Amino acid sequence: MLLNGKVVIVSGIGPGLGQELAVEAAKQGASVAMCARTMSKLDQAEAAIAALDLGIEVLKVATDISDREQCANLVTQTVARFGRIDVLFNSAYNPGEFGPIESANLDSWRAAMDVNLFGTMALTLEAIPQMKKQGSGAIVMINTMVTRKPLHTQGGYGASKAALANATSHLALELGRYNIRVNSAYMGWMWGPAVEGYLQMNASAGGPSVTEQAAVISKNIPIGHIPDDADCAKAAIFLGSDYACAITGAALDVNGGEYLPH
């Protein structure tokens, strides 16, 4: 098991990637501290882990990561329960409002920045002292293909995640001396509640059916289909594991080949 005996924090628990990260971490042997703003989402993830019948210990802490004090509380409770933090998976995000930049609502941009950049950094900065004390740690940022392959209407979301990408590179440079690795997984289209809901919304507005839209998207993906949330989570788990012990500052594209760097 890739995370056997480790303690992980997963932010942004909810239907989709956040929950899949928590479940996969449990499958790989980790004790899991989970956070989200809504306790019901944490309850659902806890139930999914309990259904595995692995005896994995779970900590649930309702947390808004845009509030630094709440981030500190999450870290404090995690260390009090488990004694350490081996991996931080920064999955929480705010997509903001979709639309062309020329008519952008900059308040929506700021709200996305508060979570995607400042919130993520707040939680990360709270976790770093414990990792330094241990002499080891791994931080995995969940980023997006949108920063590498711009998509229509997602400029605000992409800008916030591009800022996070730059901060991540600097963190990797700064923290390597403490045996703390910092990497990013750049997610593309992921088949799960978020994408299904988006396609259904388009279909309900008079657009093509969900199946037709998925087929169009899949034509641009070399593996021929939209990757599943759970499969994408596995790539992030790898970055947090000791199998990636020689990797820091890396940008792992997890999109079925839709974006192919030169």
Side-chain angles (χ1 to χ4, degrees):
M1 293 188 286
L2 293 185
L3 299 177
N4 192 37
K6 294 188 181 294
V7 175
V8 309
I9 293 177
V10 183
S11 72
I13 295 296
L17 183 62
Q19 179 169 309
E20 295 296 348
L21 283 167
V23 170
E24 188 61 33
K27 287 180 180 178
Q28 296 301 326
S31 298
V32 183
M34 307 183 297
C35 80
R37 289 179 297 177
T38 307
M39 185 57 75
S40 61
K41 294 179 179 178
L42 297 174
D43 292 339
Q44 291 170 7
E46 181 184 40
I49 291 173
L52 300 173
D53 197 24
L54 298 174
I56 294 296
E57 192 171 358
V58 171
L59 172 66
K60 302 179 296 181
V61 183
T63 306
D64 179 350
I65 66 165
S66 65
D67 184 327
R68 180 77 179 258
E69 290 185 2
Q70 293 188 41
C71 292
N73 176 60
L74 170 62
V75 167
T76 297
Q77 289 202 43
T78 301
V79 175
R81 172 73 69 85
F82 301 119
R84 60 187 297 114
I85 301 169
D86 295 297
V87 189
L88 168 60
F89 292 103
N90 280 306
S91 180
Y93 76 103
N94 179 343
E97 296 178 7
F98 290 174
I101 289 178
E102 63 180 326
S103 58
N105 177 352
L106 293 183
D107 288 337
S108 174
W109 278 46
R110 290 186 182 94
M113 283 281 185
D114 278 344
V115 175
N116 302 342
L117 176 62
F118 295 112
T120 296
M121 292 307 301
L123 182 52
T124 298
L125 295 181
E126 291 297 332
I128 286 171
Q130 176 61 35
M131 291 181 174
K132 281 186 175 181
K133 181 179 178 180
Q134 298 163 189
S136 65
I139 300 166
V140 181
M141 307 293 194
I142 303 301
N143 212 299
T144 172
M145 182 179 70
V146 173
T147 65
R148 303 156 83 77
K149 179 184 178 181
L151 296 178
H152 290 294
T153 76
Q154 296 189 36
Y157 176 59
S160 67
K161 286 291 195 174
L164 176 62
N166 192 272
T168 300
S169 296
H170 283 82
L171 269 179
L173 180 64
E174 294 175 11
L175 298 180
R177 71 189 69 180
Y178 304 108
N179 197 30
I180 300 172
R181 300 182 296 103
V182 191
N183 293 293
S184 299
Y186 284 72
M187 304 300 181
W189 291 96
M190 295 184 294
W191 190 254
V195 167
E196 290 181 63
Y198 173 70
L199 300 186
Q200 184 59 58
M201 178 183 69
N202 291 340
S204 298
S209 70
V210 170
T211 300
E212 290 169 330
Q213 292 176 76
V216 171
I217 294 168
S218 297
K219 287 181 180 179
N220 294 319
I221 302 175
I223 64 172
H225 66 274
I226 299 174
D228 186 84
D229 282 340
D231 289 334
C232 293
K234 293 174 183 176
I237 294 291
F238 160 74
L239 287 176
S241 77
D242 289 342
Y243 274 77
C245 63
I247 302 174
T248 195
L252 179 62
D253 292 295
V254 187
N255 51 54
E258 182 174 358
Y259 173 78
L260 297 171
H262 301 294

mmCIF file of all heavy atoms in Angstrom, residues 81 88-89 94 123 138 156 177 212 256 259:
data_model
loop_
_atom_site.group_PDB
_atom_site.id
_atom_site.type_symbol
_atom_site.label_atom_id
_atom_site.label_comp_id
_atom_site.label_asym_id
_atom_site.label_seq_id
_atom_site.Cartn_x
_atom_site.Cartn_y
_atom_site.Cartn_z
ATOM 1 N N ARG A 81 -4.702 14.174 17.141
ATOM 2 C CA ARG A 81 -5.275 12.831 16.957
ATOM 3 C C ARG A 81 -4.239 11.820 16.485
ATOM 4 O O ARG A 81 -4.158 10.705 17.003
ATOM 5 C CB ARG A 81 -6.414 12.897 15.935
ATOM 6 C CG ARG A 81 -6.987 11.534 15.497
ATOM 7 C CD ARG A 81 -7.828 10.888 16.557
ATOM 8 N NE ARG A 81 -9.061 11.635 16.739
ATOM 9 C CZ ARG A 81 -10.160 11.454 16.000
ATOM 10 N NH1 ARG A 81 -10.171 10.538 15.036
ATOM 11 N NH2 ARG A 81 -11.243 12.167 16.231
ATOM 12 N N LEU A 88 -0.234 16.396 2.614
ATOM 13 C CA LEU A 88 -1.348 17.341 2.494
ATOM 14 C C LEU A 88 -1.792 17.362 1.048
ATOM 15 O O LEU A 88 -1.013 17.707 0.152
ATOM 16 C CB LEU A 88 -0.915 18.741 2.934
ATOM 17 C CG LEU A 88 -1.881 19.899 2.608
ATOM 18 C CD1 LEU A 88 -3.239 19.684 3.276
ATOM 19 C CD2 LEU A 88 -1.273 21.232 3.017
ATOM 20 N N PHE A 89 -3.038 16.975 0.810
ATOM 21 C CA PHE A 89 -3.631 17.051 -0.517
ATOM 22 C C PHE A 89 -4.525 18.291 -0.562
ATOM 23 O O PHE A 89 -5.586 18.319 0.069
ATOM 24 C CB PHE A 89 -4.465 15.806 -0.830
ATOM 25 C CG PHE A 89 -3.660 14.544 -0.974
ATOM 26 C CD1 PHE A 89 -3.624 13.614 0.058
ATOM 27 C CD2 PHE A 89 -2.954 14.283 -2.135
ATOM 28 C CE1 PHE A 89 -2.885 12.442 -0.068
ATOM 29 C CE2 PHE A 89 -2.210 13.116 -2.270
ATOM 30 C CZ PHE A 89 -2.175 12.193 -1.243
ATOM 31 N N ASN A 94 -12.608 26.888 -5.620
ATOM 32 C CA ASN A 94 -13.789 27.676 -5.967
ATOM 33 C C ASN A 94 -13.694 27.958 -7.462
ATOM 34 O O ASN A 94 -12.759 28.620 -7.904
ATOM 35 C CB ASN A 94 -13.804 28.988 -5.171
ATOM 36 C CG ASN A 94 -14.997 29.882 -5.502
ATOM 37 O OD1 ASN A 94 -15.664 29.709 -6.529
ATOM 38 N ND2 ASN A 94 -15.268 30.849 -4.638
ATOM 39 N N LEU A 123 -3.612 26.922 4.406
ATOM 40 C CA LEU A 123 -3.556 25.562 4.942
ATOM 41 C C LEU A 123 -2.150 24.988 4.817
ATOM 42 O O LEU A 123 -1.637 24.330 5.726
ATOM 43 C CB LEU A 123 -4.569 24.675 4.220
ATOM 44 C CG LEU A 123 -4.656 23.224 4.699
ATOM 45 C CD1 LEU A 123 -4.850 23.139 6.205
ATOM 46 C CD2 LEU A 123 -5.767 22.486 3.963
ATOM 47 N N ALA A 138 5.031 15.693 2.355
ATOM 48 C CA ALA A 138 4.710 15.858 0.941
ATOM 49 C C ALA A 138 3.451 16.693 0.822
ATOM 50 O O ALA A 138 2.482 16.487 1.557
ATOM 51 C CB ALA A 138 4.512 14.504 0.255
ATOM 52 N N GLY A 156 -11.025 33.355 -15.032
ATOM 53 C CA GLY A 156 -10.835 33.673 -13.624
ATOM 54 C C GLY A 156 -10.315 32.491 -12.834
ATOM 55 O O GLY A 156 -9.384 32.616 -12.027
ATOM 56 N N ARG A 177 15.141 21.484 1.242
ATOM 57 C CA ARG A 177 16.194 21.289 2.239
ATOM 58 C C ARG A 177 15.664 20.663 3.531
ATOM 59 O O ARG A 177 16.422 20.154 4.344
ATOM 60 C CB ARG A 177 16.856 22.628 2.550
ATOM 61 C CG ARG A 177 16.009 23.596 3.343
ATOM 62 C CD ARG A 177 16.621 24.973 3.436
ATOM 63 N NE ARG A 177 16.605 25.640 2.141
ATOM 64 C CZ ARG A 177 17.077 26.870 1.938
ATOM 65 N NH1 ARG A 177 17.637 27.537 2.946
ATOM 66 N NH2 ARG A 177 17.007 27.426 0.750
ATOM 67 N N GLU A 212 -23.777 13.055 -26.031
ATOM 68 C CA GLU A 212 -23.209 13.725 -27.207
ATOM 69 C C GLU A 212 -22.082 14.668 -26.815
ATOM 70 O O GLU A 212 -21.040 14.719 -27.485
ATOM 71 C CB GLU A 212 -24.311 14.486 -27.947
ATOM 72 C CG GLU A 212 -25.322 13.575 -28.636
ATOM 73 C CD GLU A 212 -26.545 14.333 -29.138
ATOM 74 O OE1 GLU A 212 -26.916 15.363 -28.534
ATOM 75 O OE2 GLU A 212 -27.132 13.891 -30.142
ATOM 76 N N GLY A 256 -5.576 12.271 -19.598
ATOM 77 C CA GLY A 256 -5.738 11.318 -20.696
ATOM 78 C C GLY A 256 -4.991 11.707 -21.950
ATOM 79 O O GLY A 256 -5.240 11.146 -23.022
ATOM 80 N N TYR A 259 -3.771 17.401 -23.020
ATOM 81 C CA TYR A 259 -2.699 18.379 -23.115
ATOM 82 C C TYR A 259 -1.394 17.626 -23.158
ATOM 83 O O TYR A 259 -1.069 16.859 -22.240
ATOM 84 C CB TYR A 259 -2.708 19.335 -21.918
ATOM 85 C CG TYR A 259 -1.493 20.257 -21.919
ATOM 86 C CD1 TYR A 259 -1.433 21.371 -22.763
ATOM 87 C CD2 TYR A 259 -0.389 19.963 -21.124
ATOM 88 C CE1 TYR A 259 -0.315 22.187 -22.783
ATOM 89 C CE2 TYR A 259 0.737 20.789 -21.136
ATOM 90 C CZ TYR A 259 0.766 21.884 -21.974
ATOM 91 O OH TYR A 259 1.870 22.686 -22.001
#
